[in-house]
Each structure stands twice: as structure tokens, then as C-alpha cells.
Amino acid sequence: MYSIYLKHPQICTDTRKIIPGCLFFCLKGENFDGNRFATQALEQGAAYVVTENTELTNHPRCIVVQDSLKALQELAAEHRRNLEIPVIGITGTNGKTTTKELIATVLKTKFKISFTQGNFNNHIGVPLTLLSIPADTEIAIVEMGANHPGEIRTLVNIAEPDCGLITNVGKAHLEGFGSFEGVVKTKSELYDYFRAKENAFIFLDKDNEVLCQVSTGLNSIGYGLEGEELYVKGKLHACAPFLAFEWEHEGKTYDVNTHLIGAYNVKNALAAIAIGCHFEVP
């Protein structure tokens, strides 16, 4: 399947958005079954269809699998393993999409990057993000979300990030996690992955006591507003309504005036700055 993907790298999962020459995956959900539209996808221009419909086993342009979603995820994992580039993984209760956008804004001034579009951060979105990464990409940024325990573990095993961060842990979506401790444990699945990965490291909000506690033993690059031993240290100037702050790195201080609203965004900005400094963005 990977050799077919390399010839047809456009992935589609919706017949309303068919791209001629694409590889179409027939996904299923509670209220839909893409397998019903396998032949329609071919008629609309798909080069190949990945389907669970065994009646299409002998069709020359159909790849019949037991589980289309699992096939999508395994294809994405295979593509990631063939990309010899750094992958930055991001999760957190709040701010992960904003932080991802800020990191992308910083890194693209120096690198050819690829990053999660919108909030494509779930069990379908992450594979689609990975499969959209072109061969000339130098750094990829993958956002990962979760509503239930174990989801981050599944996503990191597909994306295999080399470094990353948890923006924060909060009490959103408690119904899926059972408790605040469940949220912390689920988000920390990113850290658990890094513990088992050689040369992995994290960008860490040193002001966040919970993140500091659960990141014990990891190689970390710290940022924050307090403390002395920080890779990047910030100081809030104003937020009326736009965020203005300064940041310090290696003895040099820089002033920043943003179009961001909300003092909480200073942490998201400092995360992007820390990553930019690490990757030697001027």
C-alpha cells in the first residue's frame, strides 16, 4: 500500500471532496459508512480505494482490508518512519492549536515545515496530517488531542515525535477522563513515550508545577516567567487588549508586541520562542 501511496499521495475520506488521482479510505463512524461509497469514489476519480467491502476483493483498484481506519493509521506510521526529519508533538488541555500556529510561524522563517491544519488532532486527523507531509519538509509539527485515556498513547505511536510539549493540563472534558488526575495521566502519555525514546526531549513550562512533577527524568528545555535557570525567560508588560512582553535568552532581551489577546498567551508564545531558539531560528 505504501508504494501505491507514494504514487498517489493525496488522501481522501469524503466523496464530496474527491481529488482526482487520490487514495480514498472508506472510514466508518456512528452515523456513516464510507464502504458504501467505494465504487462512487472510483467513479469520481479516485485512483484506488481502501475498503472493508469483501465483495470488491477482485477489483483491480480496490485494496480490501479488515479495518480501514487501522490501515490509514499504519500507512501514516510507515510514512513517518520514512521521513528523516524532526517531528514536534504538541498536546495539552488548552492552547495547543494556538501554540502550534505560533511555532509554525517561527519555524517557517527558516525551514520548510509541515504542520497540523485546523484541529486535525484526533485518531483520523493525525494520520491525515502525517500523510500530507511532503518529501521536502524539514520539520513537522503534529498536534494531538484526546478525550479519553489512551488516546495520546495511540497518537504518539503513529507520529513518533522526537520532541514536544504539553501546554498545560486543565479540567476540560472531565467526563471522558473521570477526574483531573485522569487528564494529567492521559496528557502525560506524551512524556511516557519520550521516556522510552532515545535522545528525546521536551519543552517544559517551568512555572507549571503539575508538568514539572510528571516530567521527572526527562531531558527538558525550560521556559517560563519565574525562576533563574530558564532557557527562555519572559516578562509580561501589558495586555490591553493586545499582549506585549519581553523575553530573554543567553543574556539578550527582546521586546515583543503581538496581536494576541489574553495574558495566558504569553506561555504559548514563550513555548514557540524556546523551540525557535533550539532550532537556531535567527
Side-chain angles (χ1 to χ4, degrees):
M1 190 187 297
Y2 190 62
S3 62
I4 292 174
Y5 160 75
L6 292 177
K7 294 177 182 177
H8 304 278
Q10 297 283 353
I11 305 296
C12 289
T13 60
D14 188 335
T15 52
R16 295 169 297 182
K17 301 177 183 178
I18 287 285
I19 299 170
C22 71
L23 182 56
F24 185 86
F25 279 80
C26 299
L27 301 182
K28 291 190 298 186
E30 291 184 7
N31 301 312
F32 65 91
D33 184 354
N35 293 288
R36 294 171 49 207
F37 304 100
T39 55
Q40 180 181 329
L42 292 171
E43 291 168 0
Q44 291 179 220
Y48 287 88
V49 163
V50 179
T51 179
E52 299 168 16
N53 187 349
T54 55
E55 295 179 3
L56 298 172
T57 299
N58 295 320
H59 195 293
R61 290 163 56 202
C62 288
I63 304 168
V64 177
V65 297
Q66 284 190 327
D67 187 323
S68 295
L69 174 59
K70 187 175 181 181
L72 177 69
Q73 294 172 338
E74 290 179 352
L75 180 64
E78 177 67 16
H79 184 52
R80 192 282 173 258
R81 285 190 290 268
N82 281 274
L83 293 168
E84 297 181 358
I85 61 170
V87 172
I88 303 168
I90 303 174
T91 191
T93 303
N94 304 112
K96 54 185 175 290
T97 299
T98 299
T99 303
K100 171 207 67 184
E101 295 290 337
L102 292 171
I103 294 168
T105 299
V106 169
L107 292 180
K108 70 183 180 184
T109 64
K110 179 180 179 180
F111 299 101
K112 169 72 174 178
I113 70 166
S114 185
F115 60 101
T116 301
Q117 298 300 300
N119 61 348
F120 268 42
N121 61 18
N122 64 5
H123 60 297
I124 297 173
V126 168
L128 291 176
T129 294
L130 292 167
L131 290 167
S132 71
I133 299 175
D136 61 346
T137 298
E138 295 173 297
I139 298 179
I141 308 160
V142 179
E143 178 184 335
M144 294 172 282
N147 293 317
H148 301 280
E151 285 188 273
I152 296 298
R153 184 183 305 112
T154 296
L155 298 179
V156 294
N157 285 327
I158 297 170
E160 297 187 3
D162 303 284
C163 61
L165 72 148
I166 301 173
T167 56
N168 52 51
V169 284
K171 297 183 178 180
H173 310 299
L174 284 184
E175 68 278 3
F177 299 106
S179 64
F180 175 67
E181 290 72 23
V183 177
V184 174
K185 184 176 181 181
T186 299
K187 302 302 181 183
S188 298
E189 289 167 3
L190 177 66
Y191 287 171
D192 295 338
Y193 174 83
F194 286 139
R195 284 191 177 90
K197 186 178 177 72
E198 188 176 359
N199 299 322
F201 59 96
I202 62 170
F203 297 90
L204 178 64
D205 177 2
K206 287 284 193 175
D207 300 334
N208 190 308
E209 293 183 8
V210 174
L211 292 180
C212 288
Q213 290 172 3
V214 296
S215 63
T216 303
L218 286 167
N219 295 322
S220 65
I221 294 173
Y223 62 89
L225 300 173
E226 302 174 10
E228 297 302 321
E229 297 182 6
L230 293 172
Y231 184 67
V232 170
K233 185 174 183 178
K235 181 179 180 181
L236 183 65
H237 282 172
C239 192
F242 296 120
L243 174 67
F245 67 98
E246 68 179 49
W247 60 278
E248 180 184 346
H249 172 66
E250 295 184 342
K252 296 182 180 180
T253 302
Y254 307 86
D255 289 313
V256 181
N257 295 304
T258 80
H259 286 152
L260 297 170
I261 295 175
Y264 55 86
N265 269 314
V266 70
K267 290 297 185 67
N268 300 333
L270 290 175
I273 291 167
I275 290 173
C277 289
H278 173 77
F279 285 102
E280 300 181 348
V281 174

